[in-house]
Amino acid sequence: MELINVENLVSEAKKHGVNFGKGDPYNRLRYYTKMGWLPHMIRKRGEDNTSVKGHYPKSALNLVLVIEKYKKAGMSNEDITKNIQSTDKMQNVRNLLATPEIKKQLGTIAVVSLLVLIFANELGIITLGKTRSALFAQSAINLPKEILDSGDGTVSPNQKSVFIDSSIVTESSKVYVTFNTDISPAMRFWVANKRPGQGFTLELDAPVYAPTYFSWWISN
């Protein structure tokens, strides 16, 4: 887990327009932690390896920016809490789906489910409305193909697109993306274009506030 010390977190937040007021920014962060909006601070030695400093996960910076956006929109503390909790749940699901074990299990489940449907159709238990040959032809199209390339990427702060290098990309390649951190304030993302033999561009509908990490993979 990547960490950021409190001083850098406050400095970066201010650069992105967060107003901590006249009080001590650390008190504001402690209040956010008390409200359950931020994770608890971790105390560890700084880069100088002498002094012990407070650190947060790097994702806390994005949370601070999101909280600031909610406050400027006039949200109550109760509504902010609900939104933060909802975001955490979605992120947990994204993280779970991004693990290689789950990806493999989902692919296996899809294939097994398809085979069960085919078998049930052959026995006359259900009617899929297709001939046997047509059903297998359609199944061949929909079955998951081999993953040809994969990797991780980052959308930089104040950016809403990034180009990913991949020499195996073709115009017909299927590109899948799952984010490992919250993409707020963006709501949607898509693969904007595919350059055969070069790579593809990932686009979001709004610039992100903080480094936003994602995983990608390509199949034929």
Side-chain angles (χ1 to χ4, degrees), residues 74-89:
M75 282 191 182
S76 66
N77 286 350
E78 291 76 11
D79 287 338
I80 293 176
T81 298
K82 289 178 182 178
N83 283 357
I84 294 293
Q85 290 175 346
S86 176
T87 299
D88 287 344
K89 289 178 182 178

Side-chain angles (χ1 to χ4, degrees), residues 60-128:
L61 173 59
N62 195 51
L63 283 171
V64 171
L65 301 179
V66 169
I67 292 167
E68 181 74 1
K69 182 185 71 172
Y70 290 157
K71 284 186 167 293
K72 287 181 177 178
M75 282 191 182
S76 66
N77 286 350
E78 291 76 11
D79 287 338
I80 293 176
T81 298
K82 289 178 182 178
N83 283 357
I84 294 293
Q85 290 175 346
S86 176
T87 299
D88 287 344
K89 289 178 182 178
M90 289 191 296
Q91 187 58 53
N92 289 337
V93 172
R94 290 193 190 106
N95 291 341
L96 180 63
L97 293 177
T99 60
E101 295 81 5
I102 294 299
K103 289 178 183 177
K104 183 177 180 180
Q105 290 177 19
L106 289 176
T108 301
I109 290 172
V111 173
V112 171
S113 299
L114 183 58
L115 292 175
V116 169
L117 286 174
I118 295 171
F119 185 64
N121 182 71
E122 292 297 309
L123 293 178
I125 298 174
I126 62 173
T127 302
L128 297 178

Side-chain angles (χ1 to χ4, degrees), residues 9-213:
L9 180 106
V10 171
S11 175
E12 289 297 318
K14 287 181 177 179
K15 288 179 183 178
H16 288 84
V18 174
N19 181 11
F20 287 98
K22 296 181 179 180
D24 189 338
Y26 307 136
N27 290 335
R28 179 77 64 88
L29 296 177
R30 282 192 285 267
Y31 173 71
Y32 288 171
T33 300
K34 182 179 178 180
M35 293 295 296
W37 301 343
L38 291 181
H40 286 282
M41 185 173 60
I42 301 169
R43 301 196 67 82
K44 64 184 292 290
R45 292 191 180 278
E47 297 179 355
D48 56 10
N49 203 31
T50 56
S51 59
V52 176
K53 297 182 178 181
H55 289 70
Y56 283 96
K58 273 198 170 181
S59 58
L61 173 59
N62 195 51
L63 283 171
V64 171
L65 301 179
V66 169
I67 292 167
E68 181 74 1
K69 182 185 71 172
Y70 290 157
K71 284 186 167 293
K72 287 181 177 178
M75 282 191 182
S76 66
N77 286 350
E78 291 76 11
D79 287 338
I80 293 176
T81 298
K82 289 178 182 178
N83 283 357
I84 294 293
Q85 290 175 346
S86 176
T87 299
D88 287 344
K89 289 178 182 178
M90 289 191 296
Q91 187 58 53
N92 289 337
V93 172
R94 290 193 190 106
N95 291 341
L96 180 63
L97 293 177
T99 60
E101 295 81 5
I102 294 299
K103 289 178 183 177
K104 183 177 180 180
Q105 290 177 19
L106 289 176
T108 301
I109 290 172
V111 173
V112 171
S113 299
L114 183 58
L115 292 175
V116 169
L117 286 174
I118 295 171
F119 185 64
N121 182 71
E122 292 297 309
L123 293 178
I125 298 174
I126 62 173
T127 302
L128 297 178
K130 290 180 180 286
T131 64
R132 181 177 179 179
S133 59
L135 181 62
F136 272 99
Q138 185 64 36
S139 301
I141 295 174
N142 293 330
L143 280 174
K145 302 297 191 299
E146 178 185 3
I147 294 177
L148 303 178
D149 197 5
S150 64
D152 298 308
T154 305
V155 182
S156 300
N158 301 317
Q159 300 296 316
K160 64 175 185 176
S161 67
V162 61
F163 184 78
I164 300 298
D165 295 317
S166 178
S167 60
I168 61 89
V169 169
T170 66
E171 291 183 356
S172 61
S173 294
K174 294 182 179 179
V175 181
Y176 304 88
V177 175
T178 178
F179 278 88
N180 306 316
T181 52
D182 184 32
I183 65 173
S184 295
M187 299 294 291
R188 298 184 301 110
F189 61 90
W190 60 91
V191 175
N193 61 69
K194 289 173 280 190
R195 301 179 190 172
Q198 299 181 49
F200 64 91
T201 299
L202 175 64
E203 288 273 2
L204 292 88
D205 62 350
V208 295
Y209 287 138
T212 304
Y213 307 101

